[in-house]
Amino acid sequence: MTFVVTENCIRCKYTDCVDVCPVDCFHEGPNFLVIDPDECIDCTLCEPECPAHAIYSEDELPEGQEQFIQLNAELSKIWPTISEVKEALPDADEWNGKPGKLQYLER
Ligand code: SF4
Ligand code: F3S
């Protein structure tokens, strides 16, 4: 099992999740973070830390977010590791909770 970053992280990228991960399994793209499913130890620490409530266990994903299992697996192999918190994206609070953000995912 693994935890998965879902759509509401896009264009927010608060990075609070990174601070608590004991195994540095977050990877960073331009406007989204993903979790490497091969590194995640299911410790659950990151889930409550995300201000955008974007992190879920893969077996508790909200409806419509299933494709993010594959996206996390795929992009975590390409994007670099992020292990320190940084500033959220400038318009993070405006984008938090907006539907249909997958179209804005930058690779
Ligand atoms: Fe890291 Fe734990 Fe979150 Fe997995 S569940 S991404 S190991 S903090
Ligand atoms: Fe994204 Fe939430 Fe982490 S918005 S960067 S999953 S704290």
Side-chain angles (χ1 to χ4, degrees):
M1 218 180 67
T2 181
F3 278 67
V4 176
V5 185
T6 62
E7 188 167 18
N8 201 34
C9 176
I10 296 170
R11 288 200 161 177
C12 290
K13 206 167 79 165
Y14 286 107
T15 77
D16 302 62
C17 52
V18 169
D19 202 30
V20 297
C21 183
V23 291
D24 289 348
C25 55
F26 284 92
H27 293 253
E28 183 184 20
N31 64 2
F32 186 49
L33 252 58
V34 291
I35 292 169
D36 184 341
D38 297 330
E39 300 291 332
C40 177
I41 56 170
D42 300 328
C43 72
T44 77
L45 290 175
C46 58
E47 185 178 1
E49 294 301 317
C50 176
H53 305 292
I55 303 176
Y56 294 87
S57 167
E58 72 176 329
D59 57 8
E60 292 177 351
L61 280 175
E63 210 180 320
Q65 299 294 299
E66 297 83 1
Q67 61 197 309
F68 283 88
I69 295 177
Q70 175 58 31
L71 274 174
N72 278 244
E74 176 191 334
L75 296 173
S76 63
K77 303 304 178 209
I78 304 169
W79 287 348
T81 298
I82 172 172
S83 52
E84 288 185 8
V85 175
K86 57 163 73 170
E87 286 281 307
L89 291 175
D91 297 328
D93 290 346
E94 282 161 45
W95 283 99
N96 188 359
K98 290 234 168 92
K101 290 200 278 179
L102 181 55
Q103 62 184 311
Y104 303 117
L105 176 64
E106 295 172 30
R107 292 172 181 248

